[in-house]
Amino acid sequence: MGNEIKAKTTKEKIYNFFEQPESLIAKFFQFFIFLLIISSVIIVVIEFFYINLFEKYKIQIEIANYFILAIFTIEYLLRILTTSKKIKFFFKPFNLIDFFAIFPNYLELFLQFFLPTNAIRILRLIRIFRFLRLLKYKNFFKRIFCYQNTILQFIINIIIFLIIFKGIIWILESHKWWISNANLGELFT
């Protein structure tokens, strides 16, 4: 009788669903979030690099972005509400990335009533943090692409960082918010 297994509370079940997915549904949801992250990055790329395409499908792209934002927000809130150590949870690196992938969108929605849209456009650039959420899925990449025990396993984080950094600099340069000296621009290519 000493080996009784304590039944998990609903709160623990929800927390484990997101943080330690074991069931098929939880793993499917993680894959769904992974696809939303990729979609979100594609939306940012279209918005900043393919302006004509963005203008043509602006309404559909904005609806997709708000849908993704809603899912990310619900997931984040459920995770933070069901953890037992909220402060510790909030300051974990991946949870900070999640926060910074979500918060600027709400700040942008709020500020649009007080500032011109062009002044807050830079906040859209911060959505690139959503790309960093992919780092959470290292194990998924390892299983799919089988790069364990290779040099790629050790440099993938550096590659992702450099891609994001280059994208930020390119966007800043294209809007003339960065140093326009061509030699400096070539430094980061």
Side-chain angles (χ1 to χ4, degrees):
M1 285 209 133
N3 270 344
E4 292 179 25
I5 298 174
K6 182 181 172 186
K8 290 183 180 179
T9 65
T10 303
K11 190 175 178 181
E12 290 172 326
K13 288 179 184 177
I14 293 171
Y15 180 80
N16 288 336
F17 180 84
F18 293 112
E19 294 296 321
Q20 300 163 355
E22 293 179 6
S23 70
L24 185 60
I25 294 171
K27 289 178 182 178
F28 176 78
F29 184 79
Q30 292 297 314
F31 182 70
F32 176 67
I33 292 292
F34 173 78
L35 292 177
L36 289 180
I37 294 168
I38 298 295
S39 301
S40 177
V41 171
I42 290 170
I43 287 172
V44 171
V45 169
I46 289 171
E47 184 174 350
F48 282 96
F49 300 119
Y50 299 97
I51 296 167
N52 292 337
L53 186 63
F54 175 74
E55 291 299 324
K56 184 176 180 181
Y57 297 104
K58 186 174 183 172
I59 293 172
Q60 294 89 340
I61 290 172
E62 287 181 354
I63 289 170
N65 187 51
Y66 290 135
F67 172 77
I68 292 169
L69 178 61
I71 298 296
F72 286 171
T73 303
I74 292 167
E75 178 215 13
Y76 185 77
L77 289 175
L78 285 173
R79 287 174 39 235
I80 201 164
L81 291 173
T82 57
T83 187
S84 58
K85 300 176 182 175
K86 292 178 182 11
I87 300 295
K88 185 177 178 182
F89 173 89
F90 183 78
F91 287 105
K92 286 183 178 177
F94 285 129
N95 297 332
L96 284 172
I97 288 171
D98 288 348
F99 176 78
F100 286 114
I102 295 169
F103 176 72
N105 293 275
Y106 290 106
L107 187 61
E108 180 184 346
L109 286 172
F110 176 73
L111 289 178
Q112 73 183 354
F113 298 111
F114 304 103
L115 298 171
T117 308
N118 291 341
I120 58 175
R121 187 169 168 84
I122 191 69
L123 288 175
R124 293 181 184 176
L125 180 61
I126 298 173
R127 278 192 250 151
I128 206 71
F129 271 102
R130 291 180 181 176
F131 186 72
L132 292 176
R133 291 189 75 191
L134 289 177
L135 294 176
K136 269 183 164 177
Y137 298 95
K138 277 180 158 179
N139 291 334
F140 174 76
F141 284 126
K142 286 178 185 177
R143 279 185 255 132
I144 298 298
F145 300 114
C146 299
Y147 69 80
Q148 293 109 324
N149 302 321
T150 67
I151 192 72
L152 185 59
Q153 179 180 0
F154 299 104
I155 63 170
I156 194 71
N157 295 339
I158 296 168
I159 292 169
I160 290 172
F161 172 76
L162 290 175
I163 290 169
I164 291 170
F165 190 64
K166 174 60 180 166
I168 291 170
I169 290 174
W170 187 89
I171 291 168
L172 293 173
E173 284 179 342
S174 68
H175 292 288
K176 304 208 185 320
W177 296 334
W178 184 258
I179 301 167
S180 59
N181 184 337
N183 293 333
L184 281 176
E186 290 173 4
L187 177 68
F188 295 106
T189 55

